[in-house]
Amino acid sequence: DRRSDSFQGFMLLMRDYRFSEARTSTLSRWSPAPDTLRGSGNADALLLEAARRTVDSARRDEQFLETGLALLALGQPQQAAESFRAGLARTPGDAALHLNLSAAFLELCRVSCSNEERAEALQNADRALSNPDQAEAAAFNRALALEGLGRREEARNAWEAFRDTTGDISWQQEALGHLERIRPGGQL
């Protein structure tokens, strides 16, 4: 799997940042949204510049996954979704592309989206579940999509299953927060 130098650098910078609530194949750790990044010195500016360079070089090389991830980091989920879709047109069964497309739709939904887009997030998360490397993040995105669709009982079951299977304490705590919100009388 050939990766550009700028993507390698971008991923090194990103290891301590996470830009969206939804999980992607490489952005799995918590951090603030791009507009609230506070790094030491120019870390946030370097990170965003690395993302811009990654977009440029990955587009030239038709590296759809890298392009989409960088676009997500730049806060451009619609363009990221287009990149992931372009990749899926070439490799329809790619679980990482399905997972990241679900994340792009969920990120769009943080601002505004239709139930069709939430359903597409769910559908792509479901497709990514079959790959063991993507299953944990896909299960998270699936639960998030079900919650967004207002399917309380299914969301509760998905969050409970996720909480019980993830080994990551911060992800377990997040699942508990979602469970609290969707309990009877909660916010959902």
Side-chain angles (χ1 to χ4, degrees):
D1 186 355
R2 188 176 76 72
R3 304 278 174 137
S4 69
D5 288 341
S6 59
F7 183 71
Q8 293 287 343
F10 171 66
M11 293 314 299
L12 287 172
L13 283 169
M14 295 218 17
R15 70 179 170 221
D16 291 327
Y17 290 95
R18 193 171 83 71
F19 291 103
S20 65
E21 181 175 19
R23 299 303 195 263
T24 64
S25 61
T26 58
L27 309 178
S28 61
R29 295 184 67 186
W30 285 108
S31 83
D35 59 336
T36 62
L37 280 178
R38 297 292 177 261
S40 59
N42 291 326
D44 50 347
L46 290 171
L47 179 61
L48 294 175
E49 179 57 29
R52 287 185 191 96
R53 287 184 187 173
T54 297
V55 169
D56 292 341
S57 66
R59 277 186 176 150
R60 278 192 308 274
D61 297 338
E62 295 187 348
Q63 295 172 324
F64 302 106
L65 179 63
E66 291 86 348
T67 301
L69 288 170
L71 287 164
L72 273 178
L74 289 169
Q76 299 174 13
Q78 183 65 47
Q79 294 89 339
E82 292 168 12
S83 183
F84 298 137
R85 280 189 176 131
L88 285 167
R90 290 191 177 202
T91 54
D94 188 312
L97 288 167
H98 281 293
L99 171 66
N100 293 302
L101 182 55
S102 77
F105 278 114
L106 291 167
E107 192 60 19
L108 277 171
C109 291
R110 290 177 72 186
V111 177
S112 173
C113 75
S114 66
N115 275 342
E116 289 80 23
E117 289 166 321
R118 287 187 198 280
E120 194 163 345
L122 176 60
Q123 181 181 42
N124 280 283
D126 283 342
R127 287 182 179 152
L129 280 170
S130 63
N131 183 313
D133 294 335
Q134 310 300 330
E136 185 173 49
F140 183 96
N141 287 0
R142 182 177 194 285
L144 200 58
L146 287 166
E147 183 178 337
L149 286 165
R151 292 162 56 177
R152 244 186 228 269
E153 188 63 25
E154 288 175 90
R156 184 181 61 74
N157 291 337
W159 283 121
E160 287 175 349
F162 176 80
R163 177 201 61 206
D164 294 344
T165 58
T166 186
D168 186 308
I169 299 229
S170 65
W171 285 27
Q172 290 171 351
Q173 291 172 338
E174 170 130 17
L176 288 171
H178 284 277
L179 284 165
E180 181 64 25
R181 280 193 292 277
I182 62 175
R183 68 175 166 66
Q187 298 173 0
L188 182 65

